[in-house]
């Protein structure tokens, strides 16, 4: 049994902006099931404090002159212990975890997440909570990047693992911030936290963690290439022997069409005939023409360039001349929100766009749609294609990152092998997206063939079982590396 301090800036159902929350809300649960002693460390945002019932203050301290408490609670619906870093000046404010209501990054993000990291380091070194010291500290994304760097300065320290969920977000700040944070000088160099004279939080993880993982095997390879590495390819190549890819799983407690309480009609792969009831219910809810036979294409996404918004906007006008319906739910960059909403107002019978964040609607879209649109230009893992597969909603995806690892194209050969479960673009442009969607629409007209693809999709095992074991093996390797 390992003692694991799992550090994340979001975790479902307490606080979520994207897939990191899904992972941090489910991997620790899977680790616990594998008898690992895991504690989840999370900032105490107002949404989190609102949801917790029982809580106990375990420790009090100060960082950068701000009072900080460590509060113990539970991850709702599980037995996982959560430790909240309660620093009101840093975290107790309206808005999102990283941005204000207008989507602008908080200007003190470096300080906010440095405080989060200091608390993690003190727990890791047994300074804050005397009764528990981890064997492994598992960090996720740039917000926890300083932890491996700061721990590296201590001779007796736990092993560190750093998981890359998205290399595009690096936590870059100017050099003055490094000085203001009073970070140790020993960390300021090209092989350390410095990135072209800037402070890079993510380099703290990439340069100093004992083991590094990416959230899919394919992304672990892609990030060695300039196209996907955002200037960090050299460092990652240097760390190659410690870098591996472990595919995310999905939380069947929340994402299972057989038990999903958000659905109008539950179903499983043996009762797929009930799935269209979710389609007509959604058409009614969103005031689209009610027609169980028209192909419905869904999308739930952050509206950012990564998710292929440029090619989607390019392809929509052609698609909207065909007998299809689109339902899009998302929030993100305001120009994408506006362009999509405008397109929807021009084609109210064919395209419905909801701007906002809506967990329940996300589930209903997954269940109601026939196809799921995910033409990302890069995708470290992607969870929505996994949810779609689980819901018998065939994904249309670009051949990148975790999408390439999980979606098997409905080519003649793959259909014959019985492995096909979706449609993979032959390229990353709008022409390729159009071609793949047209292939899907043609296949949709062959109900037996379509049903077979849905069966294949729904039979895939994307639970955390296997991936949690891979993490446990890696923890053991990391512990060995530091002992
Ligand atoms: P990323 O983390 O890059 O945004 P993922 O596919 O890994 O992409 O995970 C996205 C998660 O966020 C999924 O659980 C998805 O359902 C959810 N999500 C994204 N946008 C919304 C939204 N507007 N409303 C509800 N859920 C959303
Ligand atoms: C990031 C990635 C996404 C991945 C998620 C969880 O947000 O963009 O591909 O699924 O993290 O690992």
């Amino acid at each position: 049994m390992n003692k694991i301090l799992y550090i994340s800036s979001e975790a479902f159902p307490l606080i979520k902006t994207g897939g990191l929350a899904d992972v941090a809300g489910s991997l620790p649960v899977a680790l616990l099931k594998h008898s690992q002693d895991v504690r989840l460390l999370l900032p105490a945002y107002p949404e989190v404090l609102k949801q917790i019932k029982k809580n106990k203050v375990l420790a009090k301290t100060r960082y950068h002159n701000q009072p900080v408490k460590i509060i113990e609670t539970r991850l709702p619906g599980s037995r996982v212990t959560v430790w909240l870093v309660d620093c009101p000046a840093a975290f107790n404010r309206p808005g999102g975890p990283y941005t204000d209501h207008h989507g602008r990054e908080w200007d003190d993000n470096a300080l906010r997440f440095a405080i989060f990291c200091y608390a993690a380091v003190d727990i890791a070194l047994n300074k804050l909570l005397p009764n528990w010291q981890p064997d492994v500290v598992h960090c996720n994304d740039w917000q926890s990047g300083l932890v491996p760097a700061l721990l590296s300065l201590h001779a007796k320290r736990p092993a560190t693992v750093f998981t890359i969920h998205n290399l595009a977000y690096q936590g870059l700040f100017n050099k003055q911030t490094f000085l203001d944070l009073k970070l140790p000088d020993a960390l300021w160099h090209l092989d350390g936290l410095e990135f072209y004279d800037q402070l890079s939080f993510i380099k703290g993880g990439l340069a100093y963690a004992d083991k590094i993982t990416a959230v899919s095997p394919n992304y672990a390879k892609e990030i060695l290439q300039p196209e996907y590495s955002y200037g960090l390819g050299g460092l990652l190549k240097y760390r190659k022997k410690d870098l591996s890819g472990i595919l995310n799983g999905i939380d069947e407690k929340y994402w299972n069409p057989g038990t999903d309480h958000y659905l109008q009609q539950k179903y499983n792969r043996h009762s797929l005939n009930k799935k269209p009831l979710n389609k007509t219910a959604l058409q009614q809810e969103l005031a689209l023409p009610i027609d169980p036979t028209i192909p419905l294409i869904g999308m739930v996404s952050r509206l950012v360039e990564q998710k292929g918004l440029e090619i989607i906007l390019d392809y929509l006008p052609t698609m909207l001349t065909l007998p299809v319906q689109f339902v899009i739910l998302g929030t993100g960059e305001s120009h994408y929100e506006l362009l999509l909403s405008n397109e929807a107002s021009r084609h109210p019978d064919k395209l419905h766009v909801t701007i906002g964040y809506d967990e329940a609607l996300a589930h209903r879209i997954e269940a109601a749609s026939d196809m799921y649109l995910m033409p990302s230009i890069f995708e470290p893992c992607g969870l929505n294609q996994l949810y779609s597969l689980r819901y018998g909603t065939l994904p249309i995806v670009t051949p990148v990152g975790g999408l390439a690892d999980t979606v098997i194209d409905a080519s003649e050969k793959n259909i014959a092998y019985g492995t096909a479960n979706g449609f993979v673009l032959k390229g990353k442009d709008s022409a390729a997206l159009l071609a793949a969607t047209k292939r899907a629409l043609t296949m949709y007209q062959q109900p037996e063939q379509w049903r077979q693809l849905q069966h294949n999709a729904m039979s895939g095992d994307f639970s955390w079982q296997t991936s949690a074991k891979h993490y446990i093996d890696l923890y053991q390797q990391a512990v060995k590396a530091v002992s």
Side-chain angles (χ1 to χ4, degrees), residues 16-20 22 166 255 300-302 306-307 329-331 356-359 362 374 379 381-385 387:
K16 167 167 166 178
T17 70
L20 170 61
D22 290 352
N166 196 332
W255 293 97
V300 179
S301 185
R302 291 185 294 120
Q306 175 193 342
K307 302 295 176 178
L329 164 65
T331 172
Y357 186 90
D358 187 335
E359 189 69 29
M374 201 159 172
E379 195 60 74
C381 177
L383 291 169
N384 279 111
Q385 87 280 14
Y387 300 146

Side-chain angles (χ1 to χ4, degrees), residues 74 102 130 197 217 228 235 250 257 360 378 401 482:
R74 283 279 159 94
H102 305 286
D197 211 34
Y228 297 101
L235 171 58
I250 66 175
F378 70 94
V482 291

Side-chain angles (χ1 to χ4, degrees), residues 258-274:
T259 54
D260 190 334
H261 61 268
Y262 288 125
L263 307 191
Q264 178 87 5
Q265 174 65 58
K266 299 181 179 57
Y267 61 96
N268 59 37
R269 71 189 141 121
H270 305 295
S271 57
L272 268 165
N273 56 324
K274 294 185 184 159

Side-chain angles (χ1 to χ4, degrees), residues 178-195:
F178 177 85
L179 302 171
D180 293 345
L181 291 177
K182 300 190 174 62
L183 289 165
D185 285 344
L187 297 175
W188 185 263
H189 53 88
L190 281 180
D191 300 323
L193 297 180
E194 183 189 353
F195 184 67

Side-chain angles (χ1 to χ4, degrees), residues 170-393:
Q170 302 186 352
L172 288 179
F173 303 94
N174 59 26
K175 182 170 181 186
Q176 189 56 43
T177 307
F178 177 85
L179 302 171
D180 293 345
L181 291 177
K182 300 190 174 62
L183 289 165
D185 285 344
L187 297 175
W188 185 263
H189 53 88
L190 281 180
D191 300 323
L193 297 180
E194 183 189 353
F195 184 67
Y196 298 100
D197 211 34
Q198 286 191 292
L199 162 63
S200 163
F201 270 51
I202 202 169
K203 274 191 80 189
L206 305 184
Y208 294 99
D210 299 307
K211 297 286 171 192
I212 305 165
T213 69
V215 286
S216 69
N218 192 34
Y219 192 58
K221 286 189 212 136
E222 284 175 344
I223 52 178
L224 302 177
Q225 309 305 322
E227 188 184 349
Y228 297 101
S229 67
Y230 302 94
L232 292 164
L235 171 58
L236 286 165
K237 275 189 192 146
Y238 176 72
R239 296 294 322 266
K240 202 170 157 194
K241 77 170 188 12
D242 295 314
L243 168 67
S244 58
I246 302 179
L247 197 67
N248 287 335
I250 66 175
D251 193 333
E252 296 259 338
K253 188 159 78 236
Y254 297 111
W255 293 97
N256 176 350
T259 54
D260 190 334
H261 61 268
Y262 288 125
L263 307 191
Q264 178 87 5
Q265 174 65 58
K266 299 181 179 57
Y267 61 96
N268 59 37
R269 71 189 141 121
H270 305 295
S271 57
L272 268 165
N273 56 324
K274 294 185 184 159
K275 180 171 158 67
L277 288 171
N278 291 299
K279 177 150 98 181
T280 46
L282 189 70
Q283 287 168 330
Q284 186 166 21
E285 175 185 341
L286 303 179
L288 284 167
I290 297 172
D291 178 355
T293 64
I294 193 166
L296 179 65
I297 306 181
M299 178 174 184
V300 179
S301 185
R302 291 185 294 120
L303 300 178
V304 296
E305 199 189 354
Q306 175 193 342
K307 302 295 176 178
L309 266 298
E310 297 293 335
I311 65 170
I312 291 173
L313 285 162
D314 210 27
Y315 121 125
L316 271 179
T318 313
M319 281 308 299
L320 293 170
T321 62
L322 302 176
V324 288
Q325 291 178 352
F326 284 89
V327 171
I328 299 178
L329 164 65
T331 172
E333 290 172 22
S334 49
H335 61 285
Y336 290 134
E337 295 182 351
L338 194 69
L339 288 167
L340 282 174
S341 304
N342 286 346
E343 199 66 49
S345 58
R346 280 196 289 274
H347 302 274
D349 283 359
K350 294 212 169 150
L351 168 63
H352 189 283
V353 173
T354 308
I355 300 299
Y357 186 90
D358 187 335
E359 189 69 29
L361 183 57
H363 285 246
R364 293 201 293 275
I365 292 177
E366 286 289 4
S369 304
D370 299 295
M371 297 151 208
Y372 188 86
L373 196 60
M374 201 159 172
S376 310
I377 51 179
F378 70 94
E379 195 60 74
C381 177
L383 291 169
N384 279 111
Q385 87 280 14
L386 301 181
Y387 300 146
S388 302
L389 292 169
R390 189 73 190 79
Y391 282 60
T393 302

